[in-house]
Amino acid sequence: MSVPSEPEIPQETPQLRLLRRMVMALTAVMIGGVLLTFALIVIRLSDRTPTLPEEVELPDGARAQAVTIGPNWYGVVTDDNRILIFDKTTGKLRQTVEVE
């Protein structure tokens, strides 16, 4: 009887080694892409609501229908076909635009 020898470990061919490295690189790129996509979604959906004053004093008889915000102003569209532009810091009426 002969003594069993240790099993031989097959040598990795250069093509197989290249394929294994390419699969590992692809896996790392895919994980990075998923993490980047998740981070961008979180950043885009974060709460970045603009600040408005507590109260806006509209002229007599005017009721607000819509509000829009600019860099240093905000506008209120009223039900009597006017757009009232207010200063964001002082809250004073800057301009009135009649809508036909």
Side-chain angles (χ1 to χ4, degrees):
M1 275 201 173
S2 65
V3 177
S5 62
E6 293 187 22
E8 291 184 25
I9 300 174
Q11 293 294 322
E12 195 175 64
T13 63
Q15 293 87 2
L16 189 58
R17 186 178 310 123
L18 175 65
L19 180 63
R20 183 173 48 86
R21 289 182 179 160
M22 287 173 54
V23 168
M24 290 178 69
L26 178 62
T27 302
V29 168
M30 287 177 59
I31 290 171
V34 168
L35 291 175
L36 179 66
T37 302
F38 180 72
L40 288 174
I41 289 173
V42 168
I43 290 169
R44 295 288 278 163
L45 295 179
S46 66
D47 187 23
R48 293 184 291 165
T49 56
T51 58
L52 280 175
E54 296 275 333
E55 291 183 3
V56 177
E57 290 190 30
L58 298 176
D60 292 335
R63 289 182 33 209
Q65 286 188 332
V67 176
T68 187
I69 302 169
N72 59 353
W73 58 270
Y74 58 91
V76 178
V77 180
T78 62
D79 60 351
D80 57 355
N81 294 331
R82 291 187 292 170
I83 302 173
L84 307 172
I85 309 294
F86 293 92
D87 188 79
K88 202 175 209 179
T89 55
T90 64
K92 293 185 180 179
L93 182 63
R94 286 174 40 181
Q95 183 179 2
T96 301
V97 178
E98 298 288 332
V99 180
E100 296 178 13

